[in-house]
Structures are given as structure tokens and as C-alpha cells.
């Protein structure tokens, strides 16, 4: 399993980090190909919760980092083809990821994620497929419960020095719950050129348009028990919804300088718009409104040089790089006149940029010993220019700067050719995002008093191959964080944040995968995670005590995934599998006053395939939540209206057919 987490291609087995790579078959075959939760729920340490709410995106956390996010992804870094899907402030979105053209998804957990910048918990990187040597065209149609369907078209190949892959899809759903319809149009393209024997050039372009995705909001416990499919009445009163548009492009040039040195430069630019109707009027002059309107440009460049040499009798790979990213965003707020756009209540120009330098070195002084170390110096700056100034709403312009130096180090002992033991240590930091700076409990303007969270982690693990067909990974970790960013108050879609004291996360991850004979294969992953407040703090208005030992919300203490698959190639390519997923209860706030129940669900899938000449046809059926369980898939942390619970769908199905032709 080859990964690029250290910015050079290496075998994951030989790295002193917890990393998984999920391939194209797992991502695309027998799946809807819309949500990361379809394929990443199998990764230990990672929690990907499908809200069944396309207005708020998925909720993703890695070892407990990012669980507080009421929408989008925070606390972890997201990349597509080395282009950040996380902005310089740490806010990311997964909706733009093209799963239909994904070759693999890498998931890095633990201290080494800090080498990617402003992130504490992990990195999720998606990579687009290369075109195959023989060109092809493919069409897929997938449909199922709740009026859900996805139509996909792909084209890829290689000709005269040009490698190309293009994918487009149109997705629609009526939604499992009331007031939750959504649609999405996506396009992704990758072009690769061999300019000469030493120079390679790659172009990436993608678009996303998601209009008027309805938001059913969370439910109170009483509403959940009465009817989990309903939307909260405020959702229809204020017609809560979100429209997102994004266009992005990037280019990478890689040049070999001699036999042992490579120079790589990646640049990107994009434009993103968001308009979201929240569950409040926002009529007060200092309220910022009940409609959020964002219009921004972003871009950046990453340049690095990698060289290989011999030091002390062992090979050394050294990478040195610099990165600059910037986002300029016009933020406006309007009154929400029960679903209609009202008067202006906020108008500002927000800018965030980072400029970082980093270095990584891997050295094998002995055949049985490898060392990996790195450091990143980060400088993140926020500024806001306020244009909405009235007699009761003063000029709130201002700015803040966060800087941090993050070292990491790891060691691998190659005990045998089939067994490695490793340890790593590092620290990292996580700045507040612009969304977390956006509001204060009292007064107007940005909450520049928020400080970055600083984490220190240690991890010990083992990786082994057993009986040639079995793979086992084990890891135990311990992370201490100061100035943890937590939710202070949340009302009607508007959330304020504060710094708590110290928190601690420690746990165990275990993973097994292997062939069982007779066409059977198996996979199992388990995570235990204790995420608690190491010091007492307060939250809410008025402030209420959060005792030391309280659990961080939205973090399951135990989670597991298992799969048993069977394939008979001689039966028209028949394959089938059972999937099992378990998640412990989720606390809904820092005070742990309520929680969603633990749940277990079973999914089943089966498919067949026919090949005739240049044609390949595949059909599949998938049944999710086979035993029709009622359960809560995710929670909205700290909602002051007690609308914590986001129900997951009961039994539902998908049917799909794909037609592939080579030419």
C-alpha cells in the first residue's frame, strides 16, 4: 500500500504513523458515490457521521478532533490532489470531493498531521484516478429510497503523452426527513503531460453547485421520540436552506534535477459562494442577520524540493518546502423574513492567510532502524474590515495573528520483514476558524480573544503481516491539549466559542484484514477513545460548570466496523458482502446532560458483472440498515434550543447499473 503522507511515495507499512489508504473499489463499487461516510467508516480512529442533511455536510472527526463542528470539517485537513479543501483558517468542506473519479483516499492520524499546517487531529487526502492505457467511457445510474439517484459519466485514457480523466455527476434526493431535499452537480478533471523526460505537468479543475439544499435542523428529544422523520417547526417557519457554488483549478509541475533531486510546485485558485438561511429573524441591528451570505476567492502555492543522499552509511531523504494560502471573503448578513431575504445587518471584508515553512527528513542509519522527523513553522493572520456601521453598531474592524512551531519525530524498528514496531511524538496547533471568530456572546464584531489550541501527542504502534494473507495494525496514543476550543452557546444556527482549559484524549486502534479462503475476505476495525476535560471549565449563558472528567461531546468511546465479503468470479463476477457498524453513545454538550443512544447497524450488498468484447456491464443492489433500526446518526453539539439530534435513515436501498466501453 503506497501512500504520499510524507510527500514522497512510500509503503505505509514502513512509516512510523497510523495511516490507511482506501482504494477505488471500496469508494466506487456498489456505492452511491456521494458521501465520504460510504467508504471511510471502516477506518479506525476516524468518525464520519452522515447527518442525512446536505445543507450541513458530513461531520468528521479524527481521534476526537473536529467533533464539535456543527457543519463542515474542522480540526482536520482536507486535500484533493494536493490542493487544500481546507481554508487557511482550518474550515473545510467535503462536498466538492469527486468520489466517482477517486483512485484512493489516504487517512493520516496522529502527530505527523501537523506537518500539513493548521490541523491537530489528522489529514484526509483524496486522489483522482489516472486515465488507463486503453481509453474508456463509462455511464452509471444509481437510484433508491427517498427519491435518491445519482447519474455519473466518466471518460479517461492516454494518448500521445496526454493522460486524462474526467467525471461528472448529477445527484438528487428528496431526503429521509421532511424539508431535506437536495441536489448537487459536480465535475472533476485531471490532465497529465510529460513535457520531457524530466518534467511532468498536471492540471486539475473541478466545480460544485448545490442549490437550495433544505435544512430540517436537529430535533429535540420529544420530537425525536414522536417522529424522527419530521423537521423542526423552525425549519419550515424560516425556510432554512443553503446554496453552495464552487469553481477551483490547480496545476502541479514536477521536475527531476539530476538523479536524486526533485522540485515540485503546486498552485491553485478558486471561488466559493454560500448563502444560508438560518432559523432566526436577525432583525436587531447588532444581530448579524438571519441569512449568511459569503462570496470569496482563495488560492495558494506550495513549493518543495526533495533530495536523496547517503549519510552515515544509510539513505537519507530530505524535503524542504514553503506554503502560502490566502482567502478573501465578503461576508454579509441579512434579516430572514420567514424565508425571504430582508435588510442588511452585516457587511465586512474578511481575509485570512498563512505562510508556512516546513522540513522533513527520513534516515535509515541501520537496516533494521528508520527515523522520520519534521518541523513546520506556521503564521496565520486574520483581518476584518467592517462596512456596516450605524449608531448602534460600531466599527468592528480588527485582526489577530497566530504563530506556532510544530516539531514531530518517529522511529521504526523493522523487527522482521513482516513486522514493524514504531513510536512517534509531536505537537501541533489549531487556530479558531473565521466561523468560530464570527460572533461574540455580548457586543458586536469578531471574537478575537479566542486562542489557538496547542496539542502534544505520543503514539506507539505495530504493523504486521501474518501467514502472508493477513494484515494487522495496532496503535495506542495519548494527546494533551491546552486551550481546547469549545462551544460556548448555540442558538438558531449561530454558535459562539471559547477556550477551555486542558483536555486529554487517549485510546487504542486495532485493524485486521485478510483472505479466508474459498473466495472469502474479511476486515475488522475497532477504536477505543477516552476524550475528557482534564480541568474544569464553564460553558453557556449564564456560565455553567463543566467538571473535570466530563466527556468531550460527539465523540464515541467505542466504535467498530467489520465486513465479510465473498467473490465468485466464475459466477458472472458475483460478489456479496455483509457490513457491520457500531458506535457508542454521543454526548450532546460539554456538561454531558444528554446523549444519543449507542447503535449497531448491518448493511448488505451484492453485484454481478458481464464482459463482452470492449463492453463491461455491472449491476448491484445495496440494502443499508438491514434490520430497520431507529437511531441517531449525529448530534449538534451545544444547541441551546436542545435540538441536538439528527436521526439517521431506517432501512433503505440502492440499485445501480454501470456500462463501460473501451475504445
Amino acid at each position: 500500500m503506497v501512500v504520499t503522507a510524507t510527500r514522497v511515495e512510500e509503503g505505509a507499512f514502513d512509516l512510523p504513523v497510523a495511516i490507511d489508504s482506501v482504494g477505488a473499489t471500496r469508494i466506487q463499487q456498489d456505492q452511491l458515490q456521494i458521501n465520504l461516510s460510504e467508504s471511510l467508516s471502516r477506518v479506525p480512529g476516524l468518525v464520519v457521521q452522515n447527518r442525512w442533511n446536505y445543507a450541513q455536510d458530513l461531520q468528521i472527526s479524527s481521534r476526537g478532533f473536529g467533533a464539535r463542528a456543527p457543519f463542515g470539517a474542522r480540526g482536520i485537513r482536507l486535500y484533493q490532489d494536493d490542493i487544500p479543501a481546507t481554508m487557511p483558517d482550518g474550515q473545510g468542506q467535503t462536498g466538492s470531493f469527486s468520489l466517482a473519479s477517486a483512485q484512493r483516499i489516504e487517512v493520516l492520524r496522529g502527530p505527523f498531521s501537523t506537518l500539513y499546517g493548521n490541523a491537530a487531529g489528522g489529514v484526509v487526502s483524496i486522489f483522482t484516478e489516472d486515465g488507463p492505457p486503453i481509453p474508456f467511457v463509462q455511464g452509471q445510474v444509481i437510484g433508491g429510497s427517498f427519491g435518491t439517484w445519482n447519474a455519473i459519466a466518466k471518460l479517461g485514457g492516454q494518448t500521445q503523452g496526454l493522460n486524462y480523466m474526467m467525471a461528472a455527476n448529477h445527484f438528487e434526493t428528496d431526503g429521509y426527513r421532511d424539508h431535506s431535499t437536495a441536489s448537487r452537480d459536480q465535475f472533476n478533471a485531471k490532465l497529465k503531460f510529460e513535457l520531457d523526460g524530466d518534467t511532468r505537468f498536471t492540471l486539475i479543475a473541478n466545480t460544485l453547485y448545490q442549490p437550495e439544499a433544505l435544512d430540517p435542523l436537529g430535533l429535540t428529544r420529544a420530537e425525536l421520540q414522536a417522529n424522527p422523520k419530521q423537521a423542526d417547526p423552525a425549519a419550515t417557519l424560516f425556510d432554512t436552506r443553503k446554496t453552495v457554488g464552487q469553481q477551483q483549478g490547480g496545476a502541479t509541475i514536477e521536475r527531476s534535477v539530476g538523479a536524486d533531486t526533485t522540485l515540485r510546485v503546486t498552485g491553485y485558485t478558486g471561488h466559493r459562494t454560500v448563502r444560508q438561511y438560518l432559523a432566526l429573524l436577525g432583525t436587531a441591528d447588532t444581530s448579524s442577520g438571519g441569512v449568511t451570505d459569503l462570496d470569496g476567492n482563495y488560492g495558494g502555492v506550495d513549493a518543495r524540493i526533495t533530495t536523496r543522499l547517503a549519510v552515515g552509511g544509510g539513505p537519507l531523504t530530505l524535503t524542504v518546502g514553503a506554503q502560502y494560502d490566502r482567502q478573501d471573503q465578503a461576508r454579509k448578513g441579512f434579516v430572514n423574513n420567514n424565508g425571504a431575504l430582508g435588510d442588511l445587518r452585516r457587511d465586512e471584508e474578511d481575509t485570512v492567510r498563512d505562510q508556512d515553512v516546513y522540513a522533513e527528513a527520513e534516515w535509515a542509519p541501520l537496516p533494521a532502524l528508520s527515523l522520520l522527523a519534521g518541523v513546520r513553522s506556521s503564521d496565520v493572520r486574520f483581518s476584518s474590515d467592517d462596512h456596516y456601521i450605524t449608531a448602534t453598531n460600531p466599527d468592528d474592524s480588527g485582526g489577530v495573528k497566530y504563530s506556532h512551531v510544530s516539531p514531530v519525530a518517529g522511529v521504526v524498528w523493522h523487527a522482521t520483514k513482516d513486522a514493524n514496531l514504531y513510536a512517534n511524538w509531536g505537537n501541533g496547533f489549531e487556530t479558531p476558524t473565521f466561523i468560530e471568530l464570527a460572533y461574540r456572546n455580548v457586543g458586536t464584531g469578531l471574537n478575537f480573544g479566542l486562542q489557538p489550541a496547542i496539542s502534544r501527542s505520543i503514539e506507539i504502534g505495530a504493523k504486521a503481516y501474518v501467514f502472508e494473507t493477513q494484515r494487522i495494525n495496532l496503535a495506542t496514543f495519548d494527546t494533551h491539549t491546552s486551550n481546547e476550543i469549545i462551544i460556548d452557546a448555540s442558538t438558531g444556527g449561530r454558535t459562539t466559542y471559547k477556550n477551555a482549559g486542558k483536555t486529554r484524549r487517549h485510546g487504542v486502534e486495532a485493524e485486521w484484514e485478510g483472505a479466508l479462503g474459498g473466495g472469502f475476505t474479511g476486515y475488522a476495525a475497532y477504536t477505543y477513545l477516552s476524550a475528557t476535560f482534564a480541568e474544569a471549565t464553564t460553558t453557556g449563558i449564564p456560565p455553567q460548570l463543566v467538571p473535570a472528567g466530563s466527556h468531550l461531546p460527539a465523540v464515541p468511546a467505542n466504535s467498530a466496523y467489520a465486513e465479510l465479503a465473498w467473490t465468485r468470479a466464475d459466477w458472472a463476477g458475483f460478489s456479496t458482502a455483509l457490513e457491520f457498524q457500531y458506535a457508542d453513545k454521543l454526548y450532546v454538550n460539554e456538561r454531558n446532560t444528554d446523549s444519543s443512544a449507542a447503535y449497531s447497524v448491518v448493511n448488505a450488498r451484492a453485484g454481478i458483472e458481464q464482459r463482452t468484447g470492449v463492453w463491461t456491464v455491472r449491476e448491484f443492489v445495496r440494502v443499508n440498515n438491514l434490520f430497520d433500526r431507529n437511531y441517531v446518526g449525529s448530534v449538534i453539539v451545544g444547541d441551546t434550543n436542545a435540538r441536538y439530534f439528527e436521526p439517521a435513515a431506517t432501512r433503505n436501498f440502492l440499485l445501480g447499473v454501470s456500462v463501460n466501453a473501451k475504445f
Side-chain angles (χ1 to χ4, degrees):
M1 187 166 65
V2 175
V3 295
T4 56
T6 58
R7 294 185 169 85
V8 294
E9 290 190 350
E10 293 188 83
F13 180 69
D14 295 317
L15 292 174
V17 299
I19 187 167
D20 282 88
S21 181
V22 180
T25 300
R26 303 289 184 187
I27 300 167
Q28 299 174 17
Q29 188 168 294
D30 305 343
Q31 301 281 16
L32 182 60
Q33 303 174 57
I34 289 293
N35 300 306
L36 284 180
S37 56
E38 300 167 20
S39 53
L40 294 192
S41 296
R42 62 190 286 118
V43 177
L46 197 71
V47 177
V48 188
Q49 297 171 335
N50 187 347
R51 299 176 181 274
W52 293 88
N53 180 354
Y54 289 92
Q56 300 294 4
D57 210 349
L58 302 175
Q59 187 180 71
I60 305 179
S61 64
S62 176
R63 294 184 175 176
F65 289 98
R68 73 178 183 273
F71 60 89
R74 306 177 200 179
I76 58 175
R77 299 285 295 182
L78 304 174
Y79 286 85
Q80 179 161 357
D81 295 305
D82 290 328
I83 295 174
T86 297
M87 295 296 103
D89 63 344
Q91 176 73 41
Q93 304 287 337
T94 66
S96 61
F97 285 170
S98 173
L99 300 185
S101 58
Q103 189 269 332
R104 72 184 189 279
I105 302 174
E106 293 182 15
V107 181
L108 172 65
R109 307 176 297 284
F112 272 86
S113 62
T114 195
L115 290 177
Y116 285 82
N118 176 16
V123 179
V124 176
S125 301
I126 186 169
F127 296 89
T128 299
E129 297 172 290
D130 289 336
I134 301 176
F136 80 99
V137 61
Q138 181 178 357
Q140 300 180 66
V141 177
I142 304 159
S145 303
F146 321 125
T148 299
W149 61 277
N150 190 23
I152 303 169
K154 292 173 64 175
L155 173 68
Q158 184 168 319
T159 179
Q160 297 181 349
L162 170 64
N163 185 283
Y164 57 94
M165 174 61 69
M166 302 178 190
N169 72 286
H170 176 76
F171 163 76
E172 288 189 11
T173 183
D174 293 335
Y176 165 65
R177 296 174 57 195
D178 299 336
H179 197 78
S180 63
T181 60
S183 66
R184 181 182 293 176
D185 290 294
Q186 291 177 272
F187 173 77
N188 186 52
K190 182 172 81 168
L191 305 176
K192 296 177 66 176
F193 306 88
E194 292 282 345
L195 300 183
D196 57 45
D198 296 322
T199 308
R200 294 157 295 282
F201 187 65
T202 303
L203 287 174
I204 297 289
N206 48 68
T207 64
L208 164 71
Y209 181 55
Q210 182 174 290
E212 302 285 310
L214 300 185
D215 184 355
L217 304 177
L219 299 180
T220 66
R221 180 163 292 281
E223 291 170 335
L224 176 70
Q225 293 172 342
N227 177 13
K229 295 188 66 174
Q230 68 177 307
D232 185 89
T236 52
L237 175 63
F238 294 104
D239 196 12
T240 49
R241 62 196 190 273
K242 180 193 282 187
T243 295
V244 178
Q246 179 174 300
Q247 305 83 41
Q248 180 175 275
T252 295
I253 186 167
E254 188 173 29
R255 180 169 178 81
S256 299
V257 183
D260 300 313
T261 301
T262 302
L263 174 66
R264 181 184 176 95
V265 179
T266 297
Y268 71 96
T269 185
H271 179 76
R272 184 177 178 87
T273 58
V274 177
R275 175 168 286 181
Q276 182 171 13
Y277 287 73
L278 306 174
L280 71 160
L281 285 170
T283 54
D285 203 32
T286 59
S287 68
S288 296
V291 180
T292 297
D293 186 274
L294 308 176
D295 190 333
N297 297 309
Y298 59 91
V301 61
D302 182 290
R304 61 181 182 261
I305 187 167
T306 299
T307 187
R308 295 172 173 84
L309 59 157
V311 174
L316 172 69
T317 302
L318 177 65
T319 299
V320 178
Q323 181 175 331
Y324 177 84
D325 303 284
R326 181 184 177 102
Q327 181 186 31
D328 296 287
Q329 187 175 77
R331 171 184 283 270
K332 294 184 179 181
F334 301 89
V335 174
N336 183 352
N337 288 325
N338 294 343
L341 192 68
D343 295 333
L344 185 69
R345 288 295 182 268
R346 187 169 191 158
D347 185 3
E348 66 196 35
E349 297 286 338
D350 294 334
T351 299
V352 58
R353 63 100 173 130
D354 68 54
Q355 50 188 33
D356 297 7
V357 293
Y358 58 87
E360 302 173 36
E362 184 175 10
W363 181 41
L366 300 171
L369 187 68
S370 298
L371 306 175
L372 181 65
V375 64
R376 187 178 184 110
S377 176
S378 298
D379 183 282
V380 185
R381 301 190 181 197
F382 296 79
S383 64
S384 181
D385 187 8
D386 189 5
H387 302 302
Y388 185 72
I389 303 169
T390 68
T392 58
N393 188 14
D395 187 347
D396 297 310
S397 301
V400 66
K401 170 186 173 182
Y402 303 113
S403 299
H404 190 71
V405 176
S406 304
V408 291
V411 58
V412 181
W413 176 42
H414 307 284
T416 71
K417 69 179 183 66
D418 292 325
N420 288 337
L421 303 177
Y422 73 88
N424 63 50
W425 167 90
N427 69 36
F429 87 124
E430 179 187 356
T431 71
T433 67
F434 247 126
I435 295 297
E436 292 165 339
L437 292 169
Y439 308 108
R440 295 191 290 170
N441 288 335
V442 179
T444 61
L446 300 181
N447 185 12
F448 286 133
L450 272 178
Q451 298 299 310
I454 307 298
S455 300
R456 292 170 178 83
S457 301
I458 188 170
E459 177 181 327
I460 299 173
K463 303 178 183 182
Y465 288 99
V466 182
F467 307 126
E468 298 184 351
T469 60
Q470 315 290 311
R471 178 176 67 90
I472 298 174
N473 288 348
L474 297 172
T476 180
F477 57 88
D478 190 47
T479 300
H480 295 259
T481 303
S482 302
N483 289 330
E484 182 86 36
I485 300 172
I486 66 170
I487 289 176
D488 196 2
S490 178
T491 304
R494 173 162 300 152
T495 306
T496 58
Y497 296 83
K498 62 174 290 185
N499 290 111
K502 296 180 179 180
T503 60
R504 183 189 180 194
R505 297 167 172 86
H506 66 276
V508 176
E509 297 169 359
E511 184 179 22
W512 164 83
E513 184 174 23
L516 302 175
F520 285 94
T521 58
Y523 177 87
Y526 167 75
T527 303
Y528 166 74
L529 175 58
S530 173
T532 58
F533 289 90
E535 295 179 346
T537 187
T538 61
T539 184
I541 304 175
Q544 295 177 297
L545 178 67
V546 178
S550 299
H551 296 273
L552 294 180
V555 179
N558 296 276
S559 57
Y561 178 92
E563 179 178 304
L564 179 64
W566 183 51
T567 301
R568 283 294 301 265
D570 56 334
W571 290 6
F574 177 78
S575 64
T576 187
L578 288 175
E579 307 164 356
F580 169 82
Q581 187 175 355
Y582 170 81
D584 219 334
K585 64 181 179 182
L586 301 173
Y587 288 106
V588 300
N589 54 27
E590 286 82 2
R591 296 176 58 236
N592 299 172
T593 59
D594 202 351
S595 64
S596 65
Y599 67 84
S600 299
V601 294
V602 175
N603 308 321
R605 66 178 194 263
I608 56 174
E609 186 174 282
Q610 304 87 48
R611 296 176 182 266
T612 304
V614 301
W615 298 92
T616 301
V617 180
R618 179 175 176 81
E619 304 91 356
F620 81 89
V621 58
R622 164 179 281 274
V623 181
N624 295 314
N625 195 356
L626 188 62
F627 298 109
D628 203 26
R629 305 296 190 194
N630 281 302
Y631 69 100
V632 171
S634 62
V635 297
I636 302 172
V637 174
D639 190 281
T640 52
N641 292 307
R643 295 190 295 239
Y644 303 122
F645 305 104
E646 295 183 293
T650 51
R651 185 188 297 121
N652 60 96
F653 73 92
L654 291 173
L655 298 172
V657 59
S658 66
V659 180
N660 183 302
K662 297 179 180 180
F663 57 91

